[in-house]
Amino acid sequence: MEIFQADTEIFAGIDTEKVLDQISCKKYFFMTDPMMEKIGMSKKIEDILKRKGIVYEVFSEIEVNPSLDSIKKALEKVVEFSPEKIIALGGGSTLDSAKAVSYFMGRSGIELPVIAIPTTCGTGSEVTSYAVITDMKNMVKIPIKDNKMIPKIAILDPEFTKTLPKSVVADGGIDALTHAIEAYTSKGANLYTQIYALYAIKTIFKNLLKMFENIADRDSRVEMGKASCIAGFSFEKAGLGINHSIAHNIGGKFHKAHGRANGVVLPYVIRFNSTDLETARRYYEIAKELELPANTIEEGAKSLAIAIEVLNERLGIQSCVRDLGVEESLYRSLIPEMAEVAMNDICTSGNLKRVTLEDMKNIFEMIY
């Protein structure tokens, strides 16, 4: 039996103020990050709320890799302020922080819905039940999953992605592509999730470089926003795989952007997973849709890995962990620990090809 249910109301390519005009709320907790404040993006939301006469409080102490400490600070302010809803403006870190706050408030019996306004095209966090928080003491990323964290509303407003630096466009776009490819090939994939995933993959290949090379191209920003969101729908229902398990370790241990870590790892994981016939067949199906060389299943899977390597190069994404600036002796000393953590990561269970601890250690060796 295949079941698919969408839980988030999505507004794509629509002005944020028009959407907020439709929402009944007298008191918002507004979560954003220091960069959004610095470049004036958060002020646009504050101006809307002021015009509407809505009471709000701003929390902007969000880190690139949100920590348990920052979530605790936000929770203390929420308890004191007692808002009706959360507005979250920012990238995956901000959206994940807002969802984590909503989750912990829900555990105490208080429902606090999230309105997500992504400012990057990549994480898909605006439609998923996942949040990734960093335990700074142990330098480990902790994925949390709970359906109550899924935002009630997502606003995909291209106004908030028109000033993104190239590195953020690259990291976000390759993150979304990884979501879609892993969702298409995961254990939990079905007809509906694969339709979403395949659409996202094709849209990303068509629009990511356009957005990367010309951020003023509104159409490519709109399309990438939709593709990221659709990829989010797909992996929310189908799950992910070891690409994310490995990237969580690299990001947590060495403070590297999650999307970039995913992009570095992706060609290696495709080649590893291609030794499983069913996974290779799914890579072949993707390659066929992208009109890559795919006369056989083996050729199709190989073509997909090569196509991603070419895309990475054009986006300025490194081809191995060493090129990310990670010191070799430290990295190799941590491989046994990272492999153990990756095996226990929530995403590993979704990998169609069975993975052993030795496999995981070998992959960590290969990607360096």
Side-chain angles (χ1 to χ4, degrees):
M1 182 171 63
E2 297 181 338
I3 299 172
F4 190 94
Q5 177 181 332
D7 301 292
T8 305
E9 187 175 8
I10 300 167
F11 296 85
I14 300 173
D15 180 78
T16 298
E17 186 162 9
K18 291 180 180 177
V19 180
L20 293 180
D21 282 341
Q22 302 175 34
I23 301 169
S24 175
C25 181
K26 295 179 180 177
K27 205 173 186 182
Y28 282 114
F29 190 67
F30 176 30
M31 297 182 69
T32 191
D33 62 68
M35 181 55 69
M36 289 297 105
E37 289 192 321
K38 183 178 180 180
I39 65 176
M41 287 294 184
S42 62
K43 185 177 182 297
K44 294 181 179 182
I45 298 296
E46 291 192 62
D47 288 345
I48 293 170
L49 299 180
K50 286 173 183 176
R51 283 196 294 271
K52 291 168 63 65
I54 292 174
V55 178
Y56 67 93
E57 179 159 334
V58 180
F59 180 84
S60 61
E61 298 176 49
I62 293 171
E63 304 134 317
V64 173
N65 293 305
S67 67
L68 293 170
D69 287 341
S70 69
I71 301 302
K72 182 180 177 182
K73 286 181 185 177
L75 282 166
E76 289 170 353
K77 288 186 175 291
V78 164
V79 170
E80 182 181 344
F81 185 60
S82 297
E84 296 175 19
K85 291 180 174 66
I86 297 174
I87 292 181
L89 175 77
S93 296
T94 300
L95 303 191
D96 280 9
S97 295
K99 289 157 64 177
V101 168
S102 175
Y103 168 75
F104 287 115
M105 291 302 293
R107 292 288 294 268
S108 66
I110 299 171
E111 185 177 343
L112 196 55
V114 174
I115 299 169
I117 309 172
T119 59
T120 61
C121 300
T123 69
S125 186
E126 66 273 12
V127 293
T128 73
S129 60
Y130 292 86
V132 180
I133 307 301
T134 302
D135 177 351
M136 299 301 290
K137 182 179 179 181
N138 297 303
M139 299 307 298
V140 173
K141 290 200 172 189
I142 306 168
I144 305 170
K145 178 174 170 56
D146 191 289
N147 286 340
K148 292 180 180 177
M149 285 198 297
I150 300 173
K152 298 300 181 187
I153 291 173
I155 305 173
L156 312 181
D157 186 345
E159 177 70 17
F160 291 107
T161 57
K162 69 180 184 181
T163 60
L164 290 178
K166 284 182 177 290
S167 61
V168 176
V169 174
D171 293 351
I174 212 71
D175 192 20
L177 182 62
T178 307
H179 291 155
I181 290 174
E182 286 212 290
Y184 192 88
T185 58
S186 71
K187 281 183 184 176
N190 60 43
L191 170 66
Y192 308 104
T193 62
Q194 288 186 320
I195 288 171
Y196 275 107
L198 202 54
Y199 178 87
I201 292 165
K202 292 167 68 176
T203 302
I204 291 165
F205 265 94
K206 183 177 179 181
N207 290 280
L208 176 53
L209 282 172
K210 290 180 185 177
M211 183 177 173
F212 179 76
E213 291 166 357
N214 180 18
I215 197 64
D217 184 343
R218 186 182 188 277
D219 289 344
S220 67
R221 297 200 314 275
V222 170
E223 291 304 305
M224 280 301 299
K226 290 191 288 189
S228 170
C229 183
I230 289 167
F233 264 134
S234 185
F235 86 76
E236 164 64 25
K237 305 301 180 183
L240 293 166
I242 60 170
N243 207 104
H244 270 74
S245 306
I246 295 165
H248 288 154
N249 274 269
I250 294 169
K253 290 292 185 188
F254 305 107
H255 305 288
K256 303 303 176 184
H258 171 68
R260 183 149 301 230
N262 265 328
V264 170
V265 173
L266 186 54
Y268 297 91
V269 167
I270 288 175
R271 289 189 171 96
F272 169 80
N273 278 338
S274 292
T275 58
D276 174 77
L277 181 59
E278 175 57 24
T279 311
R281 185 183 65 79
R282 296 188 193 185
Y283 290 143
Y284 159 82
E285 290 169 354
I286 294 169
K288 290 279 281 187
E289 287 291 330
L290 294 174
E291 299 182 352
L292 300 172
N295 291 314
T296 65
I297 289 176
E298 182 182 9
E299 183 184 36
K302 183 178 179 181
S303 292
L304 181 60
I306 292 170
I308 290 162
E309 287 172 336
V310 172
L311 179 60
N312 278 345
E313 185 176 358
R314 293 188 66 182
L315 293 170
I317 292 174
Q318 292 79 0
S319 62
C320 60
V321 173
R322 178 185 58 210
D323 290 347
L324 289 172
V326 175
E327 198 273 321
E328 184 172 2
S329 60
L330 174 61
Y331 178 86
R332 294 198 185 281
S333 72
L334 289 170
I335 285 177
E337 177 188 339
M338 291 191 293
E340 286 274 6
V341 173
M343 286 298 293
N344 293 316
D345 190 291
I346 192 172
C347 298
T348 297
S349 62
N351 209 70
L352 193 59
K353 175 179 166 59
R354 182 178 175 272
V355 186
T356 67
L357 181 60
E358 282 306 308
D359 288 332
M360 197 68 83
K361 288 178 182 177
N362 289 335
I363 295 169
F364 273 105
E365 290 280 358
M366 281 191 301
I367 65 177
Y368 185 78

